[in-house]
Amino acid sequence: MRTTAFLTDSTLCIGCKACEVACKEYNDVPADGYVFTGRSYDNTLHLGHSTWRHVAFVEMDTALGVGGNAGEQITWSFVSDVCKHCEHAGCLEACPTGSIVRTDVGSVYVQPDVCNGCGYCVVGCPFGVVDRRPSDGRAFKCTFCYDRQRDGEQPACAKACPTQSILFGEIDDLRAHAQQRLDTLRSRGIDDAVFWDSGHTSVGGTHAMFIVRGDPEAYNLPANAEVPTIYLRDGWRSAAAAALIALAGTAAAFLARRTTGIG
Amino acid sequence: MSTTYYDVQLLKPPVWTWEVPVYFFVGGAAGGAAIIGSIAEWTGTSGHLARDARILAAAGAPVSAALLTADLGRPARFVNMLRVFKPQSAMSVGSWTLASFSATTTGALVPALTTVAGPTSAALGAVMLTYTGVLIGATAIPVWNQNVRLLPVHFAASGVASAAALLTLMGHDDDALNDIAMGAAAAETIIGAIIETKRSAATRPLRHGPTGWVIRAGGVLSGPLPLLLRATSKRPGWRRAAGAMALVGSLLTRLGWIAAGRESAKMKG
Amino acid sequence: MPGLGTSFGRGGATTAQQDLANADAILIMGSSMAEQHPVAFRFVVDARERGGTIIHVDPRFTRTSAMADLWVPLRAGTDLVFLGALINYVLQNGKEFREYVVHYTNASAIIRPDFQDTEDLAGLFSGWNEDDHKYITDSWLYDGLQTDGSSSEESSSSAHGLWGKSRGGQPMKLVPEHRDMTLQDPRCVYQLLKRHFARYTPELVEQWCGTPKAQFLRVAEAYTAASGPDKTAAICYAVGWTQHSTGVQIIRAAAILQQLLGNIGRPGGGIMALRGHASIQGSTDIPTLYDILPGYLPMPNFEAGTHDLQTYLQQNGTESGWWHNTDKYTVSLLKAWYGEAATKDNDYGYDWLPRITGDHSHQGYWLEMDDGKLEGLFVFGQNPAVGAPNSRLERRALSKLDWLVVRDLVEIETASFWYDSPEVERGELRPEAIKTEVFLLPAASHVEKEGTFTNTQRLLQWREKAIDPPGDARSDLWFVYHLGRRLKARAARDPRPRNAGLNALTWTYREDGPIREPNAGEVLQEINGRTTADRTLVGGFRELKADGSTECGCWIYSGVFPEPGRNRANERQSHDALGHGWGFSWPSDRRIMYNRASARPDGSPWSERKKLVWWDSATRQWTGLDVPDFTPTKAPDYQPPKGAVGDDALPGDAPFIMHTDGLGWIWVPIGLRDGPLPTYYEPLESPLANPLYPAHPTNPPADRKERGDNRYVPVGDERFPYVLTTYRLTEHHTAGGMSRHVSRLAELQPEFFAEISPALAKAIGAEHGGWVTVASPRGVVEARALVTSRMPPLEVNGRIVHQVGLPYHWGSRGLVTGDSANDLVAMSEEPNVRIMETKGLVCHIAPGRRPRGRAANAYLESLMRGEHVAHHRVSH
Ligand SMILES: Nc1nc2c(c(=O)[nH]1)N[C@H]1C(S)=C(S)[C@@H](COP(=O)(O)OP(=O)(O)OC[C@H]3O[C@@H](n4cnc5c(=O)[nH]c(N)nc54)[C@H](O)[C@@H]3O)O[C@H]1N2
Ligand SMILES: Nc1nc2c(c(=O)[nH]1)N[C@H]1C(S)=C(S)[C@@H](COP(=O)(O)OP(=O)(O)OC[C@H]3O[C@@H](n4cnc5c(=O)[nH]c(N)nc54)[C@H](O)[C@@H]3O)O[C@H]1N2
Ligand code: SF4
Ligand code: SF4
Ligand code: SF4
Ligand code: SF4
Ligand code: SF4
Ligand SMILES: [Mo]
């Protein structure tokens, strides 16, 4: 099958949360709590075991703003976040059971029937996406609607998006489209739009790409996230050293005492 | 300061509760014991010490497994840990290590198998001592991955120290054992100093707040204090006291580091 | 929708959502389209991507504002100042589309000399009758016309396009006898309009709406610049406009603006009335309203003396224009209902129709209920205990009924009022003391039954049944059909005359399956219409007859089921940008109404860029990209011969074929109860007096329904110094029955909140995220404070006016609960459609939670006694 991806273009997002709802409805994801946060209109706040699409709401007093609003008055921007389906996925690398696999469409998928809830993927994800659901004990995250994709359907969230803010398609096409889109936006005077896909770090790019305005970190899209496997080399190196020292040291201790013992 | 989304934490905190740090402690001790056991055997120093160390290691293995299982969201699926072997997953490496470690440590108790199982269990014990450092070091949690080099050494020292401590408390008074304990305590002292002096945003939880104090307490109890006691006197009472301290210190260290991880996830990495 | 009905002839959105993508500018006002019509909003986004300018005028900065090129705030309730100033701007700067205005509107018509404007009478039009607080509207007529001089009480139905004015005797030929095509005559509509709006200046906008003059001018320039022969601009509105005591006139102002700019009947133009519930357009077409029959035929009115069919047809039929066919549609409707029993001799059963004998609107009958005058009530698909104005009064009124039947998907507050309403908590209602017997019946949801929705653009779309209804749940069709069956069975055994109509009623539909579900397709065929002789389906309303040989359940829908097996509502092959081939858009699948106006008087398109339908001189037919809203073969130069009637009486350059004169009505000579032109009045409750008409601050004929349990405070009352407005959130649906009970939605907006500005929060000492107590003379509620600069204070008339915003979705039941904003809203009636004013009232707000139990009412009374008057004097 072809390699698919998301391009979520926040400049087209109206903050309707249809994606968030469609995801829950289609995947039958349980409620994530009924808490008024006061964080603008965002009451789910982050991705998690029971929120696989999350729409961020950022109110600003000036600066940002579409077209005529720019620089003049308050603005309100919306960004629909989702599992990044990393090229080098920390969660997948970490998973000891092989529950997390790379699918033939390039997405990262947690097999619920294999997961034993060890929780290692949770600390393996540099984007704070996957999490263990206390009520269930297993880890959950966006499935990229793999079952729908198998049936030739687009993911539920993309399908529900009324403004094509969530584009779904072949990853290279979307990358190309993103560049054109940035040019269009610049030509319309929106020059603070940026493309985000963590391509420059060890993550090696994501299958969920974004166009946002201003600083991506303002929407919890980190600038320099790294896949944790890069720490393995150093880790095992010093592990080996430590192991040798432990063995050698212990041996030395006994040998030393033995000789003195005889003498 | 970098922008955030309403200061909502980006990273998910580790889901592990007390079982995992305690497993680190037990597994470490068992690993250390296995080494002491088989090397004591091999150098033919003390039969009693070797035997008790072996028993410790053999007993520690199943306890470790039990603790690990208890922490799983789906304990019934512990066996899935051995479904695949993934070198790039420290958790996978660890699971296989623990499994074979249990096998060899028990095997080592059977006279017929000792010659083979003994040394193997020592080698595996060395992995048991250190891999947990890699396990948490190779994650997205800043305070852990910033210390990925230190952690295996730290945990190895902690493990050896607790093994020696346990044997001391079991009444063993060999000088070799005491040297090992002192070596470990010395190592812990240096590591403690490094932690105190290494100042970066990511390592704050190691020095500040409750986690800071747990780590510090763990450090002092497993480093300078036992070292001082053992250095200043050969009296068994003093050595046992040092042992007790090292044990508590080692436990606090493991608890401290996991707690620090939870704190660290809250901060921007 | 009388604003549109009287202006253009039909009470529906003039355009299609898809067509918004063709607009060069879109003014969204009185709606938060991105939030309440997200799917339709995609076409607004398309327009923006194509370079169109999106303008949002709203007291709050909403999700719609975030997508707009221009957001402009205004004080809630002052839209008519803003729109009046836009009209004035067009007239003063000669921005109007002259040729369009002259030929296609009644701007040139001369008005009766005895007409006097609000500018002459300090806020009243001529014809005001102080005794019954109504207008006698004769002086508003075209010069040379008159009526019998009775007041316009009965003209409610005109509201919907057909003007049912009592004229005992002959249908009047409502055509301007004198027109001044130069628009110079001081008594022509154009000049009257100019004079009427002369005082609506950018300065007044700044002073009264609180909208900075510069921002207003940017809107005026951007919008007018986007109109003309090769440009068009559209207006989208919803209940931010309608739910005012001047709601209809606000929409009228938009209609006038669009006519002046030549934006009606053209691609990318029009007025997009964004309707509410999935089929709310359908429920005015085939009405759940008390004053009209299907297809906007007026309901017989007792006072109007419409006692027999002849009088009814004389009163409501017209000599010229499409409504000349009133007889065909009325008789065909009666035949559909009474079948064989409907004969020429018995007026086709006309006598069996009910008569309007008073105010049977929601507020009207609910107040009667409160007075104990109602025995029982059916509530289908409505939750008045939360959604209706002065919901406290409405909940208490329910306890005065003998019986109440609620059919819903869940147990809503309307069904549970007797044991878990705030009134019970406050000791006002004691469950054991309530006599009302409540029947809660499970209703099948839209996915559990088949049938059509008529959406906001008059588009009928057929819906298949996805799953069977669970348990005892049944469709409303099932319930009404089987209830009817049983009632008929009883009536058959009871020969009293009152049962004659029931006995005559045709009530035979195919029953499907074990639950005996009536066949919805057959109902749609009855609506489409058939010949009575051989029951063959008619192809459209042009085939309907007045001699009883045809039957038709709703003439405007005729053509939706033209032949057996062809349900056009169920067609799904869209083959052009306007969506032809997908569903059926009444009338006759026209997507953009009045589209004759998209061509010049001579029949050629105004411009290549904006062509839609045009006259093909080769085939001598109207043709183009839409179904012509015009007699296909009527040439542009056609002039009616002497004595011609109906459509033949209209010339070939008269696009508004429903109207007696074929013109767009900038001036409404008949059919509205509060004026031929829109005039600015303050909301019934306002912190400020009316700058233009101090003597008449509020809409004179508006009915306040003022009484003990529906109190008001006077203008500028210190006790309630803040402007309050209410609205929706995307995450919820209206009174919450479909959202508060659904986890996926409830968790997205779990708590009732009040949007206030940082300045107001500071002034009253409220904390973001903390509690505030909001009160009006009707009630008191508590909500979380959502402090945001999206709710800016405005400088109005030299002082700072703070506005408080409340979404109204919460109630006492569901996964998330909260107080109902409607406890604060008054039961009032706009004169034409009797709608309440939810968008502009006043309130008091203080930090902290509201008192519990009886103390809550005590608190309200102490407020009324003026004990908590805000000490920080509101000023700058
Ligand atoms: N998600 C969702 N969609 C819905 C509904 C729902 O409940 N939820 N309800 C449906 C129904 S029944 C309807 S009728 C429509 C209603 O659709 P809308 O009319 O768009 O809904 P509202 O939010 O009530 O009001 C729209 C805007 O009017 C503004 N407003 C308030 N007072 C004034 C004023 O005086 N002047 C102006 N210019 N603006 C003012 C409010 O700030 C608000 O932003 O939505 C339909 N769609
Ligand atoms: N303050 C304030 N008040 C307002 C408004 C406002 O803007 N501000 N807006 C007003 C407007 S525009 C409207 S439309 C009203 C809406 O107010 P209501 O109509 O009273 O409230 P809804 O929640 O829409 O009620 C619809 C009910 O029908 C049920 N239902 C859904 N499908 C079916 C079905 O197929 N059959 C049956 N029998 N029931 C079904 C739902 O569960 C729901 O309980 O609120 C009005 N009130
Ligand atoms: S974002 Fe996190 S959970 Fe998603 S694929 Fe990447 S590492 Fe895995
Ligand atoms: S929790 Fe499940 S998915 Fe995550 S690492 Fe463990 S086994 Fe794999
Ligand atoms: S792809 Fe599917 S699972 Fe992932 S967010 Fe979208 S709807 Fe949810
Ligand atoms: S559905 Fe589309 S427009 Fe709506 S919030 Fe999600 S991404 Fe934005
Ligand atoms: S009518 Fe239905 S589809 Fe359209 S916006 Fe409302 S909920 Fe969405
Ligand atoms: Mo509505």
Side-chain angles (χ1 to χ4, degrees):
Chain A
M1 283 181 63
R2 64 200 189 129
T3 308
T4 56
F6 280 134
L7 173 63
T8 305
D9 180 353
S10 74
T11 64
L12 293 174
C13 179
I14 59 175
C16 69
K17 304 185 192 174
C19 47
E20 213 170 314
V21 175
C23 172
K24 287 205 157 197
E25 198 59 37
Y26 178 75
N27 296 294
D28 199 12
V29 181
D32 207 0
Y34 304 93
V35 187
F36 175 83
T37 67
R39 303 277 186 263
S40 191
Y41 279 6
D42 180 2
N43 290 299
T44 42
L45 283 185
H46 47 70
L47 295 168
H49 51 72
S50 300
T51 300
W52 301 349
R53 260 274 173 197
H54 165 252
V55 186
F57 287 70
V58 176
E59 297 181 21
M60 293 188 203
D61 276 5
T62 46
L64 282 169
V66 181
N69 285 344
E72 279 179 35
Q73 54 196 200
I74 49 164
T75 63
W76 205 6
S77 36
F78 323 111
V79 175
S80 179
D81 196 4
V82 65
C83 166
K84 313 299 178 293
H85 295 281
C86 311
E87 208 52 66
H88 301 294
C91 63
L92 185 155
E93 302 295 332
C95 180
T97 63
S99 161
I100 305 186
V101 293
R102 172 89 45 194
T103 70
D104 50 2
V105 297
S107 67
V108 177
Y109 181 74
V110 182
Q111 305 172 83
D113 54 334
V114 177
C115 171
N116 68 8
C118 72
Y120 196 40
C121 53
V122 176
V123 287
C125 171
F127 302 107
V129 173
V130 66
D131 200 1
R132 195 166 81 177
R133 185 179 296 159
S135 60
D136 177 284
R138 290 172 298 177
F140 291 93
K141 72 168 191 74
C142 161
T143 67
F144 209 16
C145 284
Y146 183 64
D147 50 347
R148 291 176 61 94
Q149 290 200 46
R150 265 352 243 322
D151 299 345
E153 285 283 339
Q154 58 178 322
C157 54
K159 176 109 183 171
C161 178
T163 59
Q164 272 113 33
S165 173
I166 300 178
L167 288 179
F168 167 79
E170 216 283 314
I171 190 162
D172 298 329
D173 302 351
L174 288 180
R175 283 220 181 82
H177 175 84
Q179 289 319 316
Q180 294 164 8
R181 178 64 183 167
L182 286 178
D183 298 342
T184 318
L185 288 171
R186 292 205 184 86
S187 70
R188 294 218 328 247
I190 302 173
D191 38 28
D192 58 356
V194 294
F195 175 71
W196 186 100
D197 78 341
S198 255
H200 63 291
T201 74
S202 57
V203 170
T206 58
H207 288 239
M209 306 173 283
F210 300 83
I211 290 178
V212 300
R213 303 193 54 188
D215 180 357
E217 302 227 328
Y219 314 99
N220 261 351
L221 293 172
N224 304 308
E226 304 283 357
V227 59
T229 41
I230 61 168
Y231 305 114
L232 281 172
R233 247 164 144 274
D234 289 352
W236 285 124
R237 274 228 190 98
S238 75
L244 288 178
I245 296 167
L247 287 165
T250 316
F254 282 109
L255 292 171
R257 290 296 174 180
R258 184 176 60 182
T259 44
T260 51
I262 287 167
Chain B
M1 62 147 260
S2 61
T3 33
T4 68
Y5 180 64
Y6 299 110
D7 297 320
V8 173
Q9 72 186 66
L10 167 68
L11 297 172
K12 291 278 177 290
V15 293
W16 302 320
T17 45
W18 63 272
E19 296 93 342
V20 168
V22 174
Y23 154 69
F24 284 8
F25 168 71
V26 176
I35 294 175
I36 295 172
S38 41
I39 291 184
E41 171 89 27
W42 170 59
T43 55
T45 324
S46 151
H48 291 294
L49 178 62
R51 170 138 207 88
D52 287 355
R54 286 244 173 83
I55 292 171
L56 256 186
V63 178
S64 303
L67 285 163
L68 255 191
T69 315
D71 171 74
L72 294 178
R74 289 291 174 100
R77 296 186 180 171
F78 177 76
V79 286
N80 286 11
M81 284 292 193
L82 309 178
R83 213 177 133 263
V84 292
F85 176 71
K86 281 172 70 174
Q88 77 272 35
S89 166
M91 178 79 84
S92 176
V93 173
S95 310
W96 284 100
T97 309
L98 175 59
S100 31
F101 180 71
S102 332
T104 50
T105 43
T106 358
L109 294 176
V110 183
L113 308 172
T114 315
T115 41
V116 193
T120 334
S121 72
L124 289 165
V127 185
M128 287 293 289
L129 277 180
T130 52
Y131 95 86
T132 50
V134 185
L135 179 85
I136 64 171
T139 64
I141 306 299
V143 71
W144 292 347
N145 60 42
Q146 298 296 302
N147 292 290
V148 67
R149 281 207 200 78
L150 183 72
L151 278 162
V153 185
H154 190 8
F155 284 8
S158 191
V160 172
S162 39
L166 279 165
L167 289 162
T168 314
L169 291 172
M170 287 165 77
H172 294 280
D173 200 22
D174 317 46
D175 292 338
L177 185 62
N178 190 52
D179 296 348
I180 294 170
M182 285 176 70
E188 286 286 64
T189 314
I190 299 164
I191 291 164
I194 294 175
I195 292 174
E196 284 299 334
T197 48
K198 209 180 183 189
R199 304 215 169 277
S200 78
T203 59
R204 268 186 72 81
L206 300 178
R207 301 185 310 276
H208 300 271
T211 54
W213 286 112
V214 176
I215 299 254
R216 199 166 280 127
V220 176
L221 284 170
S222 32
L225 283 182
L227 185 59
L228 213 68
L229 285 175
R230 288 183 182 271
T232 43
S233 157
K234 283 177 175 290
R235 261 190 260 124
W238 286 50
R239 286 184 172 176
R240 272 200 289 280
M245 288 180 186
L247 266 186
V248 180
S250 171
L251 183 58
L252 286 178
T253 300
R254 319 307 187 119
L255 290 167
W257 273 94
I258 298 299
R262 248 179 251 113
E263 277 306 303
S264 175
K266 294 203 191 113
M267 324 189 312
K268 276 243 145 194
Chain C
M1 294 191 289
L4 297 175
T6 52
S7 302
F8 308 123
R10 302 186 189 101
T14 71
T15 181
Q17 299 168 58
Q18 296 88 328
D19 181 51
L20 290 172
N22 300 321
D24 299 291
I26 300 176
L27 171 63
I28 302 170
M29 192 166 172
S31 156
S32 185
M33 191 174 178
E35 297 182 276
Q36 268 55 268
H37 300 84
V39 172
F41 194 76
R42 76 190 310 149
F43 301 110
V44 176
V45 172
D46 287 350
R48 194 188 83 190
E49 292 299 316
R50 297 186 197 178
T53 308
I54 312 305
I55 304 163
H56 189 220
V57 183
D58 197 296
R60 306 154 48 228
F61 186 99
T62 74
R63 279 176 269 209
T64 306
S65 322
M67 303 305 287
D69 296 291
L70 210 56
W71 164 69
V72 172
L74 86 175
R75 170 169 62 102
T78 60
D79 295 67
L80 268 173
V81 174
F82 197 99
L83 291 167
L86 281 176
I87 292 169
N88 193 28
Y89 176 90
V90 169
L91 297 173
Q92 296 305 330
N93 301 287
K95 300 272 187 185
E96 74 264 20
F97 190 159
R98 231 343 139 82
E99 205 177 344
Y100 184 105
V101 172
V102 170
H103 289 92
Y104 296 159
T105 76
N106 64 2
S108 58
I110 311 293
I111 301 305
R112 274 174 42 157
D114 56 339
F115 168 78
Q116 284 175 288
D117 189 63
T118 45
E119 294 296 276
D120 312 317
L121 304 176
L124 290 173
F125 289 102
S126 48
W128 178 247
N129 179 340
E130 189 56 41
D131 311 333
D132 61 1
H133 266 253
K134 289 184 186 118
Y135 278 110
I136 297 164
T137 64
D138 298 38
S139 61
W140 308 350
L141 288 168
Y142 294 142
D143 191 19
L145 300 175
Q146 54 230 316
T147 73
D148 65 358
S150 72
S151 92
S152 65
E153 168 52 42
E154 307 76 38
S155 64
S156 58
S157 50
S158 58
H160 304 280
L162 169 52
W163 46 284
K165 179 77 169 66
S166 166
R167 273 171 274 94
Q170 292 312 307
M172 182 207 313
K173 194 157 186 290
L174 186 69
V175 176
E177 289 178 4
H178 318 107
R179 286 174 74 175
D180 171 15
M181 301 311 235
T182 68
L183 308 184
Q184 293 313 311
D185 188 308
R187 282 195 292 115
C188 78
V189 166
Y190 183 85
Q191 292 300 332
L192 292 172
L193 185 74
K194 209 166 181 173
R195 217 179 130 245
H196 180 78
F197 284 111
R199 287 199 292 160
Y200 293 68
T201 59
E203 292 70 23
L204 186 71
V205 170
E206 177 159 296
Q207 181 201 353
W208 222 247
C209 305
T211 312
K213 181 179 168 186
Q215 289 191 28
F216 167 80
L217 287 173
R218 275 182 68 182
V219 173
E221 280 147 21
Y223 195 74
T224 51
S227 307
D230 57 6
K231 282 202 159 84
T232 50
I235 293 179
C236 301
Y237 78 88
V239 301
W241 268 2
T242 56
Q243 285 164 11
H244 288 285
S245 52
T246 52
V248 168
Q249 294 290 0
I250 295 176
I251 294 147
R252 277 275 303 134
I256 292 171
L257 184 64
Q258 289 296 65
Q259 290 179 76
L260 289 175
L261 295 172
N263 281 328
I264 298 296
R266 303 179 55 211
I271 296 181
M272 187 73 229
L274 295 158
R275 306 303 309 270
H277 287 94
S279 196
I280 206 73
Q281 178 66 47
S283 78
T284 43
D285 300 339
I286 297 182
T288 52
L289 301 169
Y290 75 100
D291 60 348
I292 46 173
L293 295 167
Y296 301 95
L297 295 165
M299 184 67 105
N301 188 305
F302 186 81
E303 289 171 45
T306 46
H307 301 314
D308 57 79
L309 185 58
Q310 213 42 40
T311 331
Y312 175 87
L313 294 178
Q314 272 163 0
Q315 285 179 7
N316 302 311
T318 62
E319 191 178 319
S320 56
W322 204 265
W323 282 115
H324 183 70
N325 302 310
T326 304
D327 54 350
K328 300 170 186 157
Y329 307 151
T330 309
V331 171
S332 296
L333 175 67
L334 291 167
K335 283 300 285 183
W337 283 357
Y338 301 123
E340 296 295 299
T343 64
K344 192 164 191 341
D345 314 330
N346 69 0
D347 270 0
Y348 300 102
Y350 176 81
D351 288 349
W352 296 325
L353 292 179
R355 302 289 191 271
I356 296 175
T357 58
D359 174 5
H360 313 311
S361 72
H362 178 89
Q363 353 267 50
Y365 75 76
W366 216 279
L367 286 168
E368 289 186 342
M369 187 192 310
D370 194 41
D371 298 339
K373 296 188 191 145
L374 247 67
E375 215 177 284
L377 178 73
F378 282 104
V379 175
F380 289 14
Q382 207 189 358
N383 187 10
V386 173
N390 200 341
S391 35
R392 293 189 61 214
L393 183 157
E394 301 225 348
R395 290 189 298 263
R396 279 197 307 263
L398 288 168
S399 69
K400 313 263 179 69
L401 293 164
D402 293 345
W403 54 267
L404 167 67
V405 177
V406 177
R407 301 193 78 251
D408 208 291
L409 312 180
V410 292
E411 183 181 7
I412 49 172
E413 288 79 359
T414 303
S416 68
F417 76 96
W418 59 275
Y419 69 91
D420 73 356
S421 62
E423 288 63 36
V424 172
E425 186 237 330
R426 295 172 193 186
E428 296 169 74
L429 292 178
R430 296 199 345 277
E432 57 276 23
I434 296 173
K435 66 177 196 310
T436 319
E437 189 173 358
V438 179
F439 304 87
L440 175 63
L441 305 177
S445 82
H446 54 292
V447 297
E448 296 158 353
K449 60 190 177 191
E450 59 176 14
T452 60
F453 277 133
T454 305
N455 82 352
T456 189
Q457 69 198 64
R458 316 173 323 275
L459 186 71
L460 280 79
Q461 297 176 96
W462 183 268
R463 201 184 55 253
E464 313 278 352
K465 181 177 80 174
I467 47 169
D468 289 324
D472 291 338
R474 295 288 181 272
S475 72
D476 299 302
L477 174 59
W478 183 96
F479 182 83
V480 173
Y481 167 73
H482 287 286
L483 179 66
R485 246 185 54 261
R486 291 164 191 228
L487 291 178
K488 278 176 67 69
R490 275 169 132 251
R493 292 191 304 277
D494 172 356
R496 274 180 300 169
R498 59 177 283 182
N499 290 332
L502 203 46
N503 284 323
L505 203 58
T506 61
W507 209 250
T508 47
Y509 302 96
R510 203 181 84 213
E511 297 176 1
D512 299 333
I515 63 168
R516 301 177 57 194
E517 178 76 24
N519 185 282
E522 275 193 12
V523 178
L524 190 60
Q525 293 185 10
E526 179 181 33
I527 288 170
N528 174 83
R530 322 173 250 233
T531 59
T532 47
D534 51 10
R535 313 193 62 68
T536 47
L537 294 161
V538 299
F541 47 76
R542 283 173 184 274
E543 298 174 25
L544 298 178
K545 305 258 181 333
D547 58 8
S549 62
T550 58
E551 58 175 50
C552 177
C554 179
W555 75 272
I556 57 175
Y557 282 12
S558 194
V560 65
F561 216 127
E563 61 215 56
R566 178 151 184 244
N567 176 352
R568 294 190 66 184
N570 202 16
E571 289 173 354
R572 290 289 178 269
Q573 293 307 323
S574 172
H575 54 68
D576 62 26
L578 287 177
H580 291 100
W582 180 291
F584 175 84
S585 179
W586 75 260
S588 309
D589 206 30
R590 295 160 194 165
R591 306 281 162 147
I592 298 178
M593 294 199 291
Y594 323 112
N595 53 30
R596 159 68 177 90
S598 68
R600 288 199 170 78
D602 70 10
S604 62
W606 288 110
S607 68
E608 183 57 26
R609 185 163 179 260
K610 293 292 175 177
K611 66 177 186 197
L612 183 60
V613 304
W614 55 88
W615 175 256
D616 180 343
S617 39
T619 60
R620 298 200 55 74
Q621 280 219 344
W622 287 98
T623 167
L625 313 172
D626 194 0
V627 179
D629 186 5
F630 208 64
T631 301
T633 54
K634 188 195 276 187
D637 56 7
Y638 169 84
Q639 283 305 325
K642 267 245 153 293
V645 294
D647 187 53
D648 298 342
L650 302 180
D653 61 354
F656 297 87
I657 61 172
M658 305 306 295
H659 276 163
T660 48
D661 51 12
L663 299 172
W665 284 2
I666 284 179
W667 176 282
V668 174
I670 200 162
L672 290 180
R673 297 201 182 106
D674 54 354
L677 291 176
T679 305
Y680 177 67
Y681 299 105
E682 282 290 324
L684 298 178
E685 262 182 343
S686 168
L688 297 118
N690 188 326
L692 298 171
Y693 314 111
H696 299 282
T698 62
N699 195 7
D703 187 346
R704 300 159 64 93
K705 299 284 179 196
E706 193 158 5
R707 48 191 271 173
D709 47 10
N710 193 50
R711 297 181 290 193
Y712 289 78
V713 287
V715 164
D717 192 297
E718 277 289 308
R719 297 168 293 175
F720 300 91
Y722 309 110
V723 171
L724 171 68
T725 191
T726 63
Y727 45 86
R728 292 160 173 72
L729 300 170
T730 313
E731 295 85 343
H732 277 289
H733 192 263
T734 47
M738 290 182 289
S739 56
R740 269 183 287 114
H741 298 258
V742 179
S743 71
R744 287 99 165 81
L745 296 173
E747 68 184 337
L748 298 178
Q749 289 291 6
E751 284 197 62
F752 179 38
F753 59 81
E755 288 184 302
I756 57 176
S757 70
L760 178 56
K762 193 159 170 296
I764 64 170
E767 271 185 20
H768 176 65
W771 292 94
V772 285
T773 295
V774 187
S776 84
R778 275 77 53 187
V780 50
V781 298
E782 66 182 12
R784 297 291 198 154
L786 196 75
V787 180
T788 170
S789 40
R790 295 184 294 98
M791 193 68 177
L794 298 171
E795 184 178 339
V796 177
N797 204 25
R799 63 174 253 204
I800 295 298
V801 168
H802 292 286
Q803 310 197 77
V804 175
L806 296 177
Y808 80 100
H809 303 294
W810 283 267
S812 54
R813 306 184 65 76
L815 294 167
V816 298
T817 60
D819 287 354
S820 305
N822 273 316
D823 287 13
L824 307 180
V825 176
M827 266 198 170
S828 61
E829 290 185 357
E830 184 279 343
N832 300 288
V833 291
R834 302 179 181 278
I835 200 166
M836 68 285 185
E837 187 157 52
T838 67
K839 301 297 186 197
L841 47 151
V842 295
C843 72
H844 175 277
I845 180 169
R849 307 194 66 157
R850 66 166 163 74
R852 310 278 122 189
R854 294 175 185 278
N857 299 349
Y859 172 79
L860 182 55
E861 292 318 309
S862 67
L863 275 179
M864 291 305 284
R865 288 193 302 273
E867 287 169 25
H868 304 268
V869 171
H871 294 305
H872 62 284
R873 296 290 273 79
V874 266
S875 68
H876 57 219

